[in-house]
């Protein structure tokens, strides 16, 4: 990591990395738009990093965008609809990889 010494990139150790499988029931997304929807998932903390995917085929025309923890125990997930009509994202099992940094905010002087 010699190239990173002296940089101001935030970096640090991973305290927690876990895979969750939860049932989500998203609501309809209007045509040609992206909209955030919130879901309660116990144990999530502000600044957790989330990676989310649907365990089954997603509705054609629906994409999963940004996933974030918007409040304690609350995941906010962006769904995009690239079609000319309203669509509902797939309901069912979603896989969520939760990564938590050891220190928040991450230090800029870690090696």
């Amino acid at each position: 990591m010699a190239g990173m010494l002296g940089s101001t990139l935030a970096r640090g150790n991973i305290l927690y990395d876990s895979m969750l499988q939860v049932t989500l029931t998203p609501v309809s997304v209007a045509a040609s738009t992206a909209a955030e929807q919130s879901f309660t998932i116990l144990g999530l903390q502000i600044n957790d990093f989330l990676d989310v995917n649907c365990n089954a085929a997603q509705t054609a025309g629906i994409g999963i965008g940004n996933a974030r923890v918007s409040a304690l125990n609350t995941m906010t997930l962006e769904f995009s609809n690239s079609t000319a009509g309203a669509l509902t994202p797939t309901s069912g099992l979603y896989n969520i990889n939760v990564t938590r940094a050891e220190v928040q905010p991450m230090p800029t002087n870690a090696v």
Side-chain angles (χ1 to χ4, degrees):
M1 297 249 240
M4 294 181 70
L5 294 177
S7 73
T8 57
L9 294 174
R11 55 189 178 269
N13 295 322
I14 299 300
L15 174 67
Y16 175 88
D17 191 47
S18 182
M19 188 67 136
L20 307 176
Q21 193 171 65
V22 299
T23 300
L24 301 180
T25 306
V27 297
S28 181
V29 178
S32 301
T33 192
E36 289 187 326
Q37 299 183 30
S38 295
F39 304 92
T40 299
I41 301 174
L42 298 178
L44 293 182
Q45 295 182 9
I46 298 293
N47 294 320
D48 283 350
F49 171 80
L50 305 178
D51 187 19
V52 180
N53 69 357
C54 185
N55 205 30
Q58 187 55 267
T59 303
I62 290 287
I64 296 176
N66 189 43
R68 63 189 177 94
V69 179
S70 57
L72 191 63
N73 300 319
T74 305
M75 174 182 73
T76 299
L77 186 57
E78 179 188 60
F79 291 100
S80 62
N81 176 356
S82 61
T83 71
L87 292 175
T88 302
T90 299
S91 290
L93 293 175
Y94 281 71
N95 299 313
I96 304 170
N97 183 209
V98 180
T99 304
R100 184 171 299 151
E102 184 175 41
V103 177
Q104 286 291 346
M106 291 189 291
T108 58
N109 60 351
V111 178

